[in-house]
Amino acid sequence: MTSSSQFCGLIAIVGAPNAGKSSLINVLVKNKVAIVSDKPHTTRQAVYGISCHENLQSIFIDTPGMVLTPQDSLQTYMRKTSRQSLKGADISVVVIDVDRAHHKANRLLLKESIKQGIPTLVALTKIDNWKDKSRLLPLIESYRDLESDIVGFFPISCHSHQGIEELELTIRKLLSPNSWIFPPNTVTQLSFDVTLSEITREKLFLSLHQEIPYKLNVVTEKWYWRKNKRNKQKELWIWQNIVVEKEGQKKLVLGQDGRRIRHVGLLSREEIQNQHQCIAHLFLHVTINATWMERCYG
Ligand SMILES: Nc1nc2c(ncn2[C@@H]2O[C@H](COP(=O)(O)OP(=O)(O)OP(=O)(O)O)[C@@H](O)[C@H]2O)c(=O)[nH]1
Ligand SMILES: [Mg+2]
């Protein structure tokens, strides 16, 4: 295929924390590239989800939820990342959770995107939570002052996949003639070790509460493939370090008699095995480093 017949674009997926951005990118690229949890601030960095269709390449950028008032260096980094992703994009999709349509971040992001002069779409997500769909009209009307600058409002659900195809088709029509940035079959820009760390971080987010998930980091220290001598199958061996700031946090991550970390390890290993269709061996350990956040994000 000649580069002149190719279409390509960067599509920033932005929105308030917990709006459903990562769920949307996973549905759009038909692959799990971004981790999802019921807690806000799950996504910490820009994650690309790449989808190729005929001569079109859509590069979706999952972004951290917009932090209005950052509380630490990680949140400051997250805020900067969402802003920069939007600035570098050709198209934006502002994801609005219909139950939190009046979150301040929604208008802020809509205005930033419009100011930039890029096609701006609104995905009104989690509509499966609303039995009475007539409630959508007043919600759309509440954005009437910005309506003329918005390509369209797309009621969607990432759980039932309602409205996804329409959103996808509209985005494809907005792509410009451009050479593809990534080779075909690339799904994300994240390195393999970061992808593995993210899976374990997701399981920690799902099983820990209050502030603990925000105070930890997961680092894949070492990984390799090794052939099993008996059955000749390749197996994946992984060592990960869960870094926390304090002794009390370490205790919570380990859980009583190490039960929590064993459970997290089991869930993470299961997902890695499913994703890579192989046997995986996962070794987790927890270390304390009071300044990891400053070192990584300061
Ligand atoms: N009912 C319903 N829940 C959804 C839908 N999409 C996402 N969720 C849920 O909303 C929660 C947050 O989803 P995420 O995709 O992690 O949201 P996010 O915007 O990426 O969140 P941050 O990265 O923390 O900013 C999870 O519990 C999802 O299962 C949807 O279409 N319907
Ligand atoms: Mg996310």
Side-chain angles (χ1 to χ4, degrees):
M1 191 186 299
T2 61
S3 60
S4 60
S5 63
Q6 293 185 335
F7 287 71
C8 180
L10 291 164
I11 306 114
I13 312 281
V14 295
N18 212 38
K21 303 174 293 300
S22 302
S23 304
L24 176 59
I25 202 164
N26 291 340
V27 170
L28 288 169
V29 302
K30 299 176 184 69
N31 248 303
K32 185 169 171 186
V33 291
I35 62 169
V36 168
S37 92
D38 55 351
K39 298 183 181 63
H41 306 305
T42 302
T43 304
R44 291 180 175 173
Q45 60 182 321
V47 177
Y48 288 14
I50 304 150
S51 160
C52 299
H53 176 80
E54 295 171 354
N55 58 339
L56 314 174
Q57 183 168 74
S58 311
I59 304 163
F60 298 101
I61 313 169
D62 185 22
T63 62
M66 176 48 87
V67 184
L68 297 174
T69 43
Q71 305 293 322
D72 53 38
S73 54
L74 173 56
Q75 290 197 351
T76 307
Y77 169 85
M78 286 160 61
R79 181 183 163 91
K80 215 166 112 189
T81 302
S82 2
R83 285 233 153 95
Q84 279 175 347
S85 304
L86 187 57
K87 277 210 175 103
D90 305 307
I91 301 166
S92 85
V93 179
V94 180
V95 179
I96 298 180
D97 174 346
V98 286
D99 283 316
R100 290 166 63 235
H102 302 293
H103 193 292
K104 275 187 189 164
N106 299 337
R107 263 183 182 272
L108 192 109
L109 287 162
L110 271 171
K111 284 186 179 165
E112 273 187 30
S113 177
I114 291 166
K115 199 169 139 201
Q116 216 176 290
I118 57 171
T120 303
L121 291 73
V122 176
L124 297 169
T125 194
K126 308 193 190 179
I127 55 159
D128 54 296
N129 283 337
W130 279 15
K131 283 208 171 68
D132 178 9
K133 302 283 188 281
S134 68
R135 289 166 67 195
L136 282 168
L137 208 59
L139 198 159
I140 294 171
E141 273 174 4
S142 71
Y143 288 101
R144 190 182 283 163
D145 55 322
L146 303 173
E147 206 180 345
S148 58
D149 295 308
I150 291 172
V151 173
F153 291 84
F154 299 83
I156 61 159
S157 163
C158 294
H159 286 187
S160 69
H161 290 200
Q162 204 181 329
I164 298 292
E165 203 179 328
E166 204 183 331
L167 175 65
E168 208 169 20
L169 291 175
T170 309
I171 293 171
R172 282 183 191 159
K173 283 187 197 144
L174 291 167
L175 296 175
S176 306
N178 273 318
S179 298
W180 286 14
I181 296 176
F182 290 95
N185 303 325
T186 313
V187 181
T188 185
Q189 97 289 17
L190 290 185
S191 62
F192 189 59
D193 60 316
V194 172
T195 310
L196 296 173
S197 303
E198 284 289 270
I199 295 173
T200 302
R201 197 167 65 79
E202 179 188 75
K203 307 310 170 203
L204 287 160
F205 256 67
L206 293 169
S207 59
L208 287 159
H209 305 287
Q210 287 158 352
E211 89 277 18
I212 309 298
Y214 306 108
K215 302 294 179 191
L216 62 79
N217 200 20
V218 180
V219 181
T220 301
E221 301 282 2
K222 191 166 80 172
W223 66 270
Y224 53 71
W225 290 98
R226 195 163 77 187
K227 207 183 242 178
N228 183 314
K229 282 186 186 134
R230 266 173 290 152
N231 61 18
K232 309 284 179 229
Q233 297 290 314
K234 268 171 57 173
E235 297 182 352
L236 185 53
W237 291 72
I238 309 155
W239 284 261
Q240 290 182 329
N241 186 14
I242 301 167
V243 191
V244 293
E245 291 176 338
K246 295 178 194 158
E247 185 61 42
Q249 295 164 351
K250 180 174 174 175
K251 279 194 184 129
L252 286 166
V253 171
L254 292 172
Q256 210 175 5
D257 304 321
R259 256 180 253 157
R260 179 170 279 126
I261 195 158
R262 272 202 301 280
H263 183 62
V264 165
L266 184 81
L267 295 178
S268 184
R269 193 166 55 82
E270 271 176 6
E271 183 157 333
I272 293 167
Q273 293 191 148
N274 281 338
Q275 271 191 16
H276 298 285
Q277 293 296 302
C278 67
I279 298 289
H281 306 270
L282 175 62
F283 303 93
L284 297 177
H285 65 282
V286 188
T287 56
I288 302 169
N289 182 338
T291 57
W292 76 260
M293 199 184 279
E294 278 305 311
R295 279 167 186 240
C296 293
Y297 298 103

